[in-house]
Amino acid sequence: MAEDSAGLPSNYQFWMQKLSVWTQASTLETQRDICLHLPQFQEFLRRMYETLKEMDSNAIIERFPTICQLLAKSCWSPFILAYDESPKILIWCLCCLIKKDPQNSRESKLNSWTRRLLSHIVSTSRFDIKEVGLFNQVLGYAPTDYYPGLLKNMVLSLVSELRENHLNGFSSQRRKKISLPTSAILCLWLRHLPSLENTMLHLLEKLISSERNSLRRIKCFMKDSLLPEAAACHPAIFRVVDEIFRSALLETDGAPEVLAGLQVFTRCFVEALEKENKQLKFALKTYFPYASPALVMVLLQHPKDIPQGLWHQSLKHISEMLKEIVEDHGSYGGPFESWFLFVHFGGWADITAEQLLMSEAEAEPPEALLWLLAFSCSPGAGHQQRARTMVEVKTVLGCLTKLFRSPALSARDLQAAAGENLGGDPRPPACQQLVRRLLLHFLLWAPGGHTIAREVITLMAQTDAIMNEIIGFLDYTLYRWDHLCVEAHRSRKLARELLTELREQALPGQVNQ
């Protein structure tokens, strides 16, 4: 490779441009480009070091004013730090910038900046203890500040675990976890994709191990996994987790357990994002690169932060944006991709149902909200099927809103309201499920619904699958109300009572409290 008059490889500017693009590594194409060029970039770094080691720091900065930018971008790329000997060569290059006896504030600042980058590389890369000790001597820090301390922490955790197993008898379910700092786990997942995938697959196993995991229990699984916290720290981790959830939903035909896991993960992720990133380090588009930024911003808004009087307006806005993408073939993916984004924030669909049920009996249900309900239950339906679902739902809502304020209700009234209204073919399963959800919302909110709730649910729960569906609905509704700070005491009391009773009716061993 030829070298220019400045003494650096002639393609220095080429790599500067590449690094500028790589730091925006938010697309699959960019990540592939990084992986394709890593061997050549490592060779470039090696040649650069051969040049720099013959110069002192002042001469380096004077002749190559952008060298700090190049090294900084390289050091903050998880792909470069994960590749072969690149971290070690970067350390050699950075050491060339350190001035042993700084003579002025500029040299002192350069030393501090360089040491911060060096400590970042050492703490996120795999080096043996001897190498860490050598690097620490260059940095001027005690060796215990780095991986030897982490190793000691791991050994102590293992010793404690073995002692507990010896005293209590070995049980895999009673093991103590190895305590690793979140930052170390984050670095591991960024550098070793299989470890992140294994953590995610283990979480999915927990989610589907029982059909009746409570949302509270799923949230504990999620917090323990550290996935939401790590995903908030780096979009690459969020994208991997999100893609696994997407594949799981496709493979299981939208299994309720997987869907509940996705929604709990999203809620925990948003909470971690708000907690850790008062000023976002990454643009939202890096987390949702293929989604409409405007739609993401609206969905990310927590309903409790919006006055209830404006919920209808927000729902109408969401519906219009989704409909434009789905039916007018917008540039942000097809129906499934739009639905997948929407169900991350599943509470909006239930708010839609509640808003429609509690509207005035004489009022015509807004088309936008009817469309949103129909789309949420069956994203793969074509335009005609979705239109039929909207007609079905509109008919059921018309009957339910008339009964909503009725002082005397019977289970037969609700059966009639939910009956097959078009006199044609039976409703598709997704439409049947949507009607059941409307009836359940009605029982919780209508003043007269409380007295007939048990009788109606008994008539509805003709199969174990429908029983599981009702249990999941009640559990998610209570979870959602907690997050919305809903103060409907009577409705809450009924939902809790029904949930407890239905769980007690389930076979032992199938229910996780």
Side-chain angles (χ1 to χ4, degrees), residues 200 203 207 218-219 222 225-232 237-239 241-242 245 258-272 344 479:
M200 186 60 196
L203 175 65
L207 293 179
I218 291 176
K219 187 171 184 178
M222 207 63 70
S225 74
L226 295 180
L227 287 168
E229 187 176 350
I237 292 178
F238 176 86
R239 297 276 302 282
V241 173
D242 205 48
F245 267 123
V258 179
L259 191 57
L262 171 65
Q263 292 172 351
V264 173
F265 165 77
T266 305
R267 173 93 315 261
C268 294
F269 160 74
V270 172
E271 289 174 357
H344 279 70
Y479 175 81

PDB file of all heavy atoms in Angstrom, residues 200 203 207 218-219 222 225-232 237-239 241-242 245 258-272 344 479:
ATOM      1  N   MET A 200     -32.211 -13.932  25.231  1.00  0.00           N
ATOM      2  CA  MET A 200     -33.542 -13.675  24.704  1.00  0.00           C
ATOM      3  C   MET A 200     -34.341 -14.970  24.553  1.00  0.00           C
ATOM      4  O   MET A 200     -35.536 -15.019  24.892  1.00  0.00           O
ATOM      5  CB  MET A 200     -33.404 -12.970  23.347  1.00  0.00           C
ATOM      6  CG  MET A 200     -34.708 -12.512  22.761  1.00  0.00           C
ATOM      7  SD  MET A 200     -35.576 -11.332  23.819  1.00  0.00           S
ATOM      8  CE  MET A 200     -37.205 -11.403  23.093  1.00  0.00           C
ATOM      9  N   LEU A 203     -35.561 -16.111  27.846  1.00  0.00           N
ATOM     10  CA  LEU A 203     -36.730 -15.324  28.257  1.00  0.00           C
ATOM     11  C   LEU A 203     -37.987 -15.838  27.573  1.00  0.00           C
ATOM     12  O   LEU A 203     -39.043 -15.985  28.211  1.00  0.00           O
ATOM     13  CB  LEU A 203     -36.506 -13.852  27.924  1.00  0.00           C
ATOM     14  CG  LEU A 203     -37.688 -12.907  28.180  1.00  0.00           C
ATOM     15  CD1 LEU A 203     -38.011 -12.844  29.667  1.00  0.00           C
ATOM     16  CD2 LEU A 203     -37.397 -11.507  27.643  1.00  0.00           C
ATOM     17  N   LEU A 207     -41.630 -17.268  28.995  1.00  0.00           N
ATOM     18  CA  LEU A 207     -42.923 -16.699  28.626  1.00  0.00           C
ATOM     19  C   LEU A 207     -43.912 -17.776  28.188  1.00  0.00           C
ATOM     20  O   LEU A 207     -45.102 -17.703  28.503  1.00  0.00           O
ATOM     21  CB  LEU A 207     -42.757 -15.683  27.498  1.00  0.00           C
ATOM     22  CG  LEU A 207     -41.998 -14.387  27.828  1.00  0.00           C
ATOM     23  CD1 LEU A 207     -41.900 -13.514  26.596  1.00  0.00           C
ATOM     24  CD2 LEU A 207     -42.680 -13.626  28.957  1.00  0.00           C
ATOM     25  N   ILE A 218     -44.296 -11.610  34.378  1.00  0.00           N
ATOM     26  CA  ILE A 218     -43.557 -11.343  33.151  1.00  0.00           C
ATOM     27  C   ILE A 218     -42.652 -10.122  33.325  1.00  0.00           C
ATOM     28  O   ILE A 218     -41.518 -10.096  32.841  1.00  0.00           O
ATOM     29  CB  ILE A 218     -44.536 -11.136  31.975  1.00  0.00           C
ATOM     30  CG1 ILE A 218     -45.233 -12.452  31.638  1.00  0.00           C
ATOM     31  CG2 ILE A 218     -43.818 -10.593  30.752  1.00  0.00           C
ATOM     32  CD1 ILE A 218     -46.293 -12.336  30.561  1.00  0.00           C
ATOM     33  N   LYS A 219     -43.150  -9.116  34.027  1.00  0.00           N
ATOM     34  CA  LYS A 219     -42.329  -7.923  34.265  1.00  0.00           C
ATOM     35  C   LYS A 219     -41.105  -8.266  35.105  1.00  0.00           C
ATOM     36  O   LYS A 219     -40.012  -7.741  34.862  1.00  0.00           O
ATOM     37  CB  LYS A 219     -43.165  -6.847  34.958  1.00  0.00           C
ATOM     38  CG  LYS A 219     -42.421  -5.511  35.071  1.00  0.00           C
ATOM     39  CD  LYS A 219     -43.325  -4.396  35.548  1.00  0.00           C
ATOM     40  CE  LYS A 219     -42.593  -3.065  35.554  1.00  0.00           C
ATOM     41  NZ  LYS A 219     -43.452  -1.941  35.972  1.00  0.00           N
ATOM     42  N   MET A 222     -38.639  -9.842  32.875  1.00  0.00           N
ATOM     43  CA  MET A 222     -38.049  -8.844  31.995  1.00  0.00           C
ATOM     44  C   MET A 222     -36.994  -8.026  32.726  1.00  0.00           C
ATOM     45  O   MET A 222     -35.892  -7.789  32.207  1.00  0.00           O
ATOM     46  CB  MET A 222     -39.160  -7.937  31.467  1.00  0.00           C
ATOM     47  CG  MET A 222     -38.882  -7.310  30.127  1.00  0.00           C
ATOM     48  SD  MET A 222     -38.705  -8.507  28.791  1.00  0.00           S
ATOM     49  CE  MET A 222     -40.381  -9.096  28.634  1.00  0.00           C
ATOM     50  N   SER A 225     -33.832 -10.006  33.353  1.00  0.00           N
ATOM     51  CA  SER A 225     -33.038 -10.286  32.152  1.00  0.00           C
ATOM     52  C   SER A 225     -32.104  -9.130  31.785  1.00  0.00           C
ATOM     53  O   SER A 225     -31.149  -9.321  31.028  1.00  0.00           O
ATOM     54  CB  SER A 225     -33.966 -10.576  30.969  1.00  0.00           C
ATOM     55  OG  SER A 225     -34.582  -9.379  30.498  1.00  0.00           O
ATOM     56  N   LEU A 226     -32.390  -7.923  32.279  1.00  0.00           N
ATOM     57  CA  LEU A 226     -31.644  -6.698  31.958  1.00  0.00           C
ATOM     58  C   LEU A 226     -31.787  -6.274  30.492  1.00  0.00           C
ATOM     59  O   LEU A 226     -31.153  -5.325  30.050  1.00  0.00           O
ATOM     60  CB  LEU A 226     -30.146  -6.853  32.290  1.00  0.00           C
ATOM     61  CG  LEU A 226     -29.788  -7.037  33.757  1.00  0.00           C
ATOM     62  CD1 LEU A 226     -28.282  -7.174  33.919  1.00  0.00           C
ATOM     63  CD2 LEU A 226     -30.274  -5.855  34.587  1.00  0.00           C
ATOM     64  N   LEU A 227     -32.623  -6.971  29.736  1.00  0.00           N
ATOM     65  CA  LEU A 227     -32.761  -6.654  28.308  1.00  0.00           C
ATOM     66  C   LEU A 227     -33.327  -5.252  28.049  1.00  0.00           C
ATOM     67  O   LEU A 227     -32.806  -4.530  27.196  1.00  0.00           O
ATOM     68  CB  LEU A 227     -33.621  -7.718  27.621  1.00  0.00           C
ATOM     69  CG  LEU A 227     -32.935  -9.069  27.426  1.00  0.00           C
ATOM     70  CD1 LEU A 227     -33.946 -10.137  27.021  1.00  0.00           C
ATOM     71  CD2 LEU A 227     -31.836  -8.969  26.369  1.00  0.00           C
ATOM     72  N   PRO A 228     -34.406  -4.827  28.755  1.00  0.00           N
ATOM     73  CA  PRO A 228     -34.917  -3.471  28.483  1.00  0.00           C
ATOM     74  C   PRO A 228     -33.883  -2.390  28.787  1.00  0.00           C
ATOM     75  O   PRO A 228     -33.736  -1.429  28.021  1.00  0.00           O
ATOM     76  CB  PRO A 228     -36.137  -3.357  29.408  1.00  0.00           C
ATOM     77  CG  PRO A 228     -36.544  -4.772  29.692  1.00  0.00           C
ATOM     78  CD  PRO A 228     -35.266  -5.542  29.735  1.00  0.00           C
ATOM     79  N   GLU A 229     -33.166  -2.556  29.899  1.00  0.00           N
ATOM     80  CA  GLU A 229     -32.165  -1.560  30.285  1.00  0.00           C
ATOM     81  C   GLU A 229     -31.034  -1.498  29.253  1.00  0.00           C
ATOM     82  O   GLU A 229     -30.589  -0.423  28.854  1.00  0.00           O
ATOM     83  CB  GLU A 229     -31.608  -1.922  31.659  1.00  0.00           C
ATOM     84  CG  GLU A 229     -30.691  -0.880  32.254  1.00  0.00           C
ATOM     85  CD  GLU A 229     -30.241  -1.245  33.655  1.00  0.00           C
ATOM     86  OE1 GLU A 229     -30.791  -2.203  34.230  1.00  0.00           O
ATOM     87  OE2 GLU A 229     -29.340  -0.576  34.168  1.00  0.00           O
ATOM     88  N   ALA A 230     -30.576  -2.680  28.815  1.00  0.00           N
ATOM     89  CA  ALA A 230     -29.507  -2.723  27.819  1.00  0.00           C
ATOM     90  C   ALA A 230     -29.987  -2.183  26.482  1.00  0.00           C
ATOM     91  O   ALA A 230     -29.251  -1.485  25.771  1.00  0.00           O
ATOM     92  CB  ALA A 230     -29.000  -4.163  27.660  1.00  0.00           C
ATOM     93  N   ALA A 231     -31.233  -2.505  26.123  1.00  0.00           N
ATOM     94  CA  ALA A 231     -31.789  -2.022  24.851  1.00  0.00           C
ATOM     95  C   ALA A 231     -31.886  -0.499  24.837  1.00  0.00           C
ATOM     96  O   ALA A 231     -31.697   0.135  23.793  1.00  0.00           O
ATOM     97  CB  ALA A 231     -33.161  -2.645  24.617  1.00  0.00           C
ATOM     98  N   ALA A 232     -32.192   0.096  25.993  1.00  0.00           N
ATOM     99  CA  ALA A 232     -32.266   1.554  26.073  1.00  0.00           C
ATOM    100  C   ALA A 232     -30.888   2.191  25.915  1.00  0.00           C
ATOM    101  O   ALA A 232     -30.775   3.313  25.418  1.00  0.00           O
ATOM    102  CB  ALA A 232     -32.896   1.983  27.402  1.00  0.00           C
ATOM    103  N   ILE A 237     -28.793  -3.508  20.476  1.00  0.00           N
ATOM    104  CA  ILE A 237     -29.392  -4.534  21.328  1.00  0.00           C
ATOM    105  C   ILE A 237     -30.905  -4.509  21.178  1.00  0.00           C
ATOM    106  O   ILE A 237     -31.561  -5.551  21.075  1.00  0.00           O
ATOM    107  CB  ILE A 237     -28.963  -4.339  22.788  1.00  0.00           C
ATOM    108  CG1 ILE A 237     -27.465  -4.633  22.939  1.00  0.00           C
ATOM    109  CG2 ILE A 237     -29.781  -5.222  23.733  1.00  0.00           C
ATOM    110  CD1 ILE A 237     -26.915  -4.427  24.312  1.00  0.00           C
ATOM    111  N   PHE A 238     -31.493  -3.312  21.159  1.00  0.00           N
ATOM    112  CA  PHE A 238     -32.943  -3.214  20.954  1.00  0.00           C
ATOM    113  C   PHE A 238     -33.357  -3.882  19.657  1.00  0.00           C
ATOM    114  O   PHE A 238     -34.355  -4.610  19.607  1.00  0.00           O
ATOM    115  CB  PHE A 238     -33.372  -1.742  20.942  1.00  0.00           C
ATOM    116  CG  PHE A 238     -34.840  -1.562  20.643  1.00  0.00           C
ATOM    117  CD1 PHE A 238     -35.776  -1.628  21.660  1.00  0.00           C
ATOM    118  CD2 PHE A 238     -35.292  -1.348  19.339  1.00  0.00           C
ATOM    119  CE1 PHE A 238     -37.136  -1.479  21.396  1.00  0.00           C
ATOM    120  CE2 PHE A 238     -36.640  -1.197  19.064  1.00  0.00           C
ATOM    121  CZ  PHE A 238     -37.558  -1.266  20.097  1.00  0.00           C
ATOM    122  N   ARG A 239     -32.598  -3.652  18.591  1.00  0.00           N
ATOM    123  CA  ARG A 239     -32.958  -4.206  17.280  1.00  0.00           C
ATOM    124  C   ARG A 239     -32.925  -5.729  17.291  1.00  0.00           C
ATOM    125  O   ARG A 239     -33.779  -6.381  16.682  1.00  0.00           O
ATOM    126  CB  ARG A 239     -32.008  -3.658  16.216  1.00  0.00           C
ATOM    127  CG  ARG A 239     -32.074  -2.147  16.023  1.00  0.00           C
ATOM    128  CD  ARG A 239     -33.176  -1.750  15.092  1.00  0.00           C
ATOM    129  NE  ARG A 239     -33.020  -2.390  13.800  1.00  0.00           N
ATOM    130  CZ  ARG A 239     -32.161  -1.997  12.864  1.00  0.00           C
ATOM    131  NH1 ARG A 239     -31.386  -0.950  13.080  1.00  0.00           N
ATOM    132  NH2 ARG A 239     -32.111  -2.633  11.718  1.00  0.00           N
ATOM    133  N   VAL A 241     -33.314  -7.773  19.984  1.00  0.00           N
ATOM    134  CA  VAL A 241     -34.446  -8.231  20.798  1.00  0.00           C
ATOM    135  C   VAL A 241     -35.750  -8.077  20.029  1.00  0.00           C
ATOM    136  O   VAL A 241     -36.603  -8.981  20.002  1.00  0.00           O
ATOM    137  CB  VAL A 241     -34.503  -7.457  22.134  1.00  0.00           C
ATOM    138  CG1 VAL A 241     -35.767  -7.815  22.909  1.00  0.00           C
ATOM    139  CG2 VAL A 241     -33.266  -7.756  22.985  1.00  0.00           C
ATOM    140  N   ASP A 242     -35.907  -6.937  19.386  1.00  0.00           N
ATOM    141  CA  ASP A 242     -37.134  -6.654  18.642  1.00  0.00           C
ATOM    142  C   ASP A 242     -37.330  -7.645  17.495  1.00  0.00           C
ATOM    143  O   ASP A 242     -38.441  -8.119  17.243  1.00  0.00           O
ATOM    144  CB  ASP A 242     -37.074  -5.218  18.103  1.00  0.00           C
ATOM    145  CG  ASP A 242     -38.454  -4.631  17.878  1.00  0.00           C
ATOM    146  OD1 ASP A 242     -39.296  -4.738  18.784  1.00  0.00           O
ATOM    147  OD2 ASP A 242     -38.686  -4.056  16.804  1.00  0.00           O
ATOM    148  N   PHE A 245     -38.511 -10.991  18.850  1.00  0.00           N
ATOM    149  CA  PHE A 245     -39.940 -10.919  19.156  1.00  0.00           C
ATOM    150  C   PHE A 245     -40.766 -10.993  17.860  1.00  0.00           C
ATOM    151  O   PHE A 245     -41.789 -11.682  17.811  1.00  0.00           O
ATOM    152  CB  PHE A 245     -40.269  -9.624  19.888  1.00  0.00           C
ATOM    153  CG  PHE A 245     -40.246  -9.745  21.387  1.00  0.00           C
ATOM    154  CD1 PHE A 245     -39.430  -8.928  22.165  1.00  0.00           C
ATOM    155  CD2 PHE A 245     -41.038 -10.678  22.040  1.00  0.00           C
ATOM    156  CE1 PHE A 245     -39.410  -9.041  23.544  1.00  0.00           C
ATOM    157  CE2 PHE A 245     -41.028 -10.794  23.431  1.00  0.00           C
ATOM    158  CZ  PHE A 245     -40.206  -9.978  24.168  1.00  0.00           C
ATOM    159  N   VAL A 258     -46.375 -14.373  23.814  1.00  0.00           N
ATOM    160  CA  VAL A 258     -45.302 -13.611  23.165  1.00  0.00           C
ATOM    161  C   VAL A 258     -45.704 -12.147  23.036  1.00  0.00           C
ATOM    162  O   VAL A 258     -44.905 -11.239  23.268  1.00  0.00           O
ATOM    163  CB  VAL A 258     -44.975 -14.207  21.783  1.00  0.00           C
ATOM    164  CG1 VAL A 258     -43.869 -13.403  21.099  1.00  0.00           C
ATOM    165  CG2 VAL A 258     -44.561 -15.671  21.917  1.00  0.00           C
ATOM    166  N   LEU A 259     -46.967 -11.915  22.674  1.00  0.00           N
ATOM    167  CA  LEU A 259     -47.460 -10.547  22.534  1.00  0.00           C
ATOM    168  C   LEU A 259     -47.391  -9.805  23.872  1.00  0.00           C
ATOM    169  O   LEU A 259     -46.970  -8.644  23.931  1.00  0.00           O
ATOM    170  CB  LEU A 259     -48.895 -10.571  22.019  1.00  0.00           C
ATOM    171  CG  LEU A 259     -49.501  -9.240  21.571  1.00  0.00           C
ATOM    172  CD1 LEU A 259     -48.665  -8.603  20.483  1.00  0.00           C
ATOM    173  CD2 LEU A 259     -50.934  -9.437  21.098  1.00  0.00           C
ATOM    174  N   ALA A 260     -47.781 -10.486  24.951  1.00  0.00           N
ATOM    175  CA  ALA A 260     -47.701  -9.870  26.281  1.00  0.00           C
ATOM    176  C   ALA A 260     -46.254  -9.560  26.637  1.00  0.00           C
ATOM    177  O   ALA A 260     -45.947  -8.496  27.190  1.00  0.00           O
ATOM    178  CB  ALA A 260     -48.317 -10.804  27.323  1.00  0.00           C
ATOM    179  N   GLY A 261     -45.333 -10.488  26.293  1.00  0.00           N
ATOM    180  CA  GLY A 261     -43.918 -10.251  26.563  1.00  0.00           C
ATOM    181  C   GLY A 261     -43.392  -9.042  25.819  1.00  0.00           C
ATOM    182  O   GLY A 261     -42.643  -8.229  26.373  1.00  0.00           O
ATOM    183  N   LEU A 262     -43.785  -8.903  24.540  1.00  0.00           N
ATOM    184  CA  LEU A 262     -43.359  -7.750  23.747  1.00  0.00           C
ATOM    185  C   LEU A 262     -43.851  -6.448  24.363  1.00  0.00           C
ATOM    186  O   LEU A 262     -43.107  -5.461  24.464  1.00  0.00           O
ATOM    187  CB  LEU A 262     -43.894  -7.886  22.318  1.00  0.00           C
ATOM    188  CG  LEU A 262     -43.718  -6.660  21.417  1.00  0.00           C
ATOM    189  CD1 LEU A 262     -42.247  -6.385  21.169  1.00  0.00           C
ATOM    190  CD2 LEU A 262     -44.449  -6.844  20.090  1.00  0.00           C
ATOM    191  N   GLN A 263     -45.109  -6.424  24.807  1.00  0.00           N
ATOM    192  CA  GLN A 263     -45.667  -5.189  25.355  1.00  0.00           C
ATOM    193  C   GLN A 263     -45.047  -4.825  26.703  1.00  0.00           C
ATOM    194  O   GLN A 263     -44.801  -3.646  26.978  1.00  0.00           O
ATOM    195  CB  GLN A 263     -47.185  -5.332  25.448  1.00  0.00           C
ATOM    196  CG  GLN A 263     -47.837  -5.388  24.069  1.00  0.00           C
ATOM    197  CD  GLN A 263     -49.311  -5.720  24.096  1.00  0.00           C
ATOM    198  OE1 GLN A 263     -49.857  -6.077  25.135  1.00  0.00           O
ATOM    199  NE2 GLN A 263     -49.976  -5.620  22.957  1.00  0.00           N
ATOM    200  N   VAL A 264     -44.771  -5.837  27.529  1.00  0.00           N
ATOM    201  CA  VAL A 264     -44.102  -5.559  28.803  1.00  0.00           C
ATOM    202  C   VAL A 264     -42.667  -5.098  28.554  1.00  0.00           C
ATOM    203  O   VAL A 264     -42.176  -4.159  29.195  1.00  0.00           O
ATOM    204  CB  VAL A 264     -44.131  -6.799  29.719  1.00  0.00           C
ATOM    205  CG1 VAL A 264     -43.295  -6.564  30.978  1.00  0.00           C
ATOM    206  CG2 VAL A 264     -45.572  -7.142  30.104  1.00  0.00           C
ATOM    207  N   PHE A 265     -41.983  -5.755  27.615  1.00  0.00           N
ATOM    208  CA  PHE A 265     -40.623  -5.332  27.262  1.00  0.00           C
ATOM    209  C   PHE A 265     -40.623  -3.871  26.809  1.00  0.00           C
ATOM    210  O   PHE A 265     -39.773  -3.079  27.234  1.00  0.00           O
ATOM    211  CB  PHE A 265     -40.062  -6.217  26.149  1.00  0.00           C
ATOM    212  CG  PHE A 265     -38.839  -5.646  25.490  1.00  0.00           C
ATOM    213  CD1 PHE A 265     -37.602  -5.716  26.115  1.00  0.00           C
ATOM    214  CD2 PHE A 265     -38.923  -5.004  24.251  1.00  0.00           C
ATOM    215  CE1 PHE A 265     -36.465  -5.159  25.513  1.00  0.00           C
ATOM    216  CE2 PHE A 265     -37.807  -4.459  23.653  1.00  0.00           C
ATOM    217  CZ  PHE A 265     -36.574  -4.538  24.287  1.00  0.00           C
ATOM    218  N   THR A 266     -41.576  -3.513  25.954  1.00  0.00           N
ATOM    219  CA  THR A 266     -41.631  -2.145  25.440  1.00  0.00           C
ATOM    220  C   THR A 266     -41.857  -1.141  26.556  1.00  0.00           C
ATOM    221  O   THR A 266     -41.219  -0.088  26.606  1.00  0.00           O
ATOM    222  CB  THR A 266     -42.745  -2.005  24.383  1.00  0.00           C
ATOM    223  OG1 THR A 266     -42.531  -2.982  23.355  1.00  0.00           O
ATOM    224  CG2 THR A 266     -42.742  -0.627  23.765  1.00  0.00           C
ATOM    225  N   ARG A 267     -42.785  -1.471  27.485  1.00  0.00           N
ATOM    226  CA  ARG A 267     -43.045  -0.559  28.600  1.00  0.00           C
ATOM    227  C   ARG A 267     -41.799  -0.392  29.459  1.00  0.00           C
ATOM    228  O   ARG A 267     -41.426   0.729  29.831  1.00  0.00           O
ATOM    229  CB  ARG A 267     -44.208  -1.109  29.452  1.00  0.00           C
ATOM    230  CG  ARG A 267     -44.446  -0.323  30.715  1.00  0.00           C
ATOM    231  CD  ARG A 267     -45.476   0.768  30.586  1.00  0.00           C
ATOM    232  NE  ARG A 267     -45.455   1.629  29.436  1.00  0.00           N
ATOM    233  CZ  ARG A 267     -44.920   2.844  29.428  1.00  0.00           C
ATOM    234  NH1 ARG A 267     -44.337   3.338  30.490  1.00  0.00           N
ATOM    235  NH2 ARG A 267     -44.998   3.585  28.354  1.00  0.00           N
ATOM    236  N   CYS A 268     -41.098  -1.502  29.768  1.00  0.00           N
ATOM    237  CA  CYS A 268     -39.863  -1.430  30.560  1.00  0.00           C
ATOM    238  C   CYS A 268     -38.768  -0.685  29.801  1.00  0.00           C
ATOM    239  O   CYS A 268     -37.999   0.086  30.389  1.00  0.00           O
ATOM    240  CB  CYS A 268     -39.382  -2.833  30.929  1.00  0.00           C
ATOM    241  SG  CYS A 268     -40.475  -3.742  32.036  1.00  0.00           S
ATOM    242  N   PHE A 269     -38.706  -0.894  28.497  1.00  0.00           N
ATOM    243  CA  PHE A 269     -37.719  -0.213  27.655  1.00  0.00           C
ATOM    244  C   PHE A 269     -37.951   1.297  27.664  1.00  0.00           C
ATOM    245  O   PHE A 269     -37.008   2.075  27.820  1.00  0.00           O
ATOM    246  CB  PHE A 269     -37.815  -0.766  26.232  1.00  0.00           C
ATOM    247  CG  PHE A 269     -37.224   0.119  25.175  1.00  0.00           C
ATOM    248  CD1 PHE A 269     -35.848   0.243  25.041  1.00  0.00           C
ATOM    249  CD2 PHE A 269     -38.040   0.834  24.307  1.00  0.00           C
ATOM    250  CE1 PHE A 269     -35.302   1.066  24.056  1.00  0.00           C
ATOM    251  CE2 PHE A 269     -37.509   1.654  23.324  1.00  0.00           C
ATOM    252  CZ  PHE A 269     -36.132   1.768  23.202  1.00  0.00           C
ATOM    253  N   VAL A 270     -39.203   1.709  27.510  1.00  0.00           N
ATOM    254  CA  VAL A 270     -39.516   3.142  27.507  1.00  0.00           C
ATOM    255  C   VAL A 270     -39.189   3.758  28.870  1.00  0.00           C
ATOM    256  O   VAL A 270     -38.642   4.863  28.954  1.00  0.00           O
ATOM    257  CB  VAL A 270     -40.996   3.375  27.138  1.00  0.00           C
ATOM    258  CG1 VAL A 270     -41.375   4.836  27.332  1.00  0.00           C
ATOM    259  CG2 VAL A 270     -41.258   2.949  25.696  1.00  0.00           C
ATOM    260  N   GLU A 271     -39.502   3.042  29.948  1.00  0.00           N
ATOM    261  CA  GLU A 271     -39.168   3.534  31.283  1.00  0.00           C
ATOM    262  C   GLU A 271     -37.661   3.701  31.446  1.00  0.00           C
ATOM    263  O   GLU A 271     -37.192   4.696  31.998  1.00  0.00           O
ATOM    264  CB  GLU A 271     -39.707   2.565  32.344  1.00  0.00           C
ATOM    265  CG  GLU A 271     -41.226   2.583  32.484  1.00  0.00           C
ATOM    266  CD  GLU A 271     -41.735   1.509  33.422  1.00  0.00           C
ATOM    267  OE1 GLU A 271     -40.904   0.703  33.923  1.00  0.00           O
ATOM    268  OE2 GLU A 271     -42.957   1.445  33.667  1.00  0.00           O
ATOM    269  N   ALA A 272     -36.888   2.707  30.960  1.00  0.00           N
ATOM    270  CA  ALA A 272     -35.428   2.795  31.049  1.00  0.00           C
ATOM    271  C   ALA A 272     -34.900   3.930  30.185  1.00  0.00           C
ATOM    272  O   ALA A 272     -33.961   4.644  30.568  1.00  0.00           O
ATOM    273  CB  ALA A 272     -34.806   1.466  30.617  1.00  0.00           C
ATOM    274  N   HIS A 344     -46.565  -2.980  19.897  1.00  0.00           N
ATOM    275  CA  HIS A 344     -45.592  -2.669  20.952  1.00  0.00           C
ATOM    276  C   HIS A 344     -46.287  -1.874  22.063  1.00  0.00           C
ATOM    277  O   HIS A 344     -45.992  -2.058  23.242  1.00  0.00           O
ATOM    278  CB  HIS A 344     -44.445  -1.810  20.401  1.00  0.00           C
ATOM    279  CG  HIS A 344     -43.379  -2.566  19.678  1.00  0.00           C
ATOM    280  ND1 HIS A 344     -43.575  -3.152  18.463  1.00  0.00           N
ATOM    281  CD2 HIS A 344     -42.091  -2.838  20.015  1.00  0.00           C
ATOM    282  CE1 HIS A 344     -42.448  -3.732  18.068  1.00  0.00           C
ATOM    283  NE2 HIS A 344     -41.539  -3.555  19.000  1.00  0.00           N
ATOM    284  N   TYR A 479     -53.127  -4.438  34.744  1.00  0.00           N
ATOM    285  CA  TYR A 479     -51.759  -3.942  34.528  1.00  0.00           C
ATOM    286  C   TYR A 479     -51.798  -2.570  33.841  1.00  0.00           C
ATOM    287  O   TYR A 479     -51.093  -1.633  34.229  1.00  0.00           O
ATOM    288  CB  TYR A 479     -51.004  -4.968  33.691  1.00  0.00           C
ATOM    289  CG  TYR A 479     -49.612  -4.560  33.263  1.00  0.00           C
ATOM    290  CD1 TYR A 479     -48.530  -4.685  34.118  1.00  0.00           C
ATOM    291  CD2 TYR A 479     -49.370  -4.069  31.973  1.00  0.00           C
ATOM    292  CE1 TYR A 479     -47.248  -4.330  33.722  1.00  0.00           C
ATOM    293  CE2 TYR A 479     -48.103  -3.717  31.564  1.00  0.00           C
ATOM    294  CZ  TYR A 479     -47.043  -3.852  32.437  1.00  0.00           C
ATOM    295  OH  TYR A 479     -45.775  -3.497  32.039  1.00  0.00           O
TER     296      TYR A 479
END
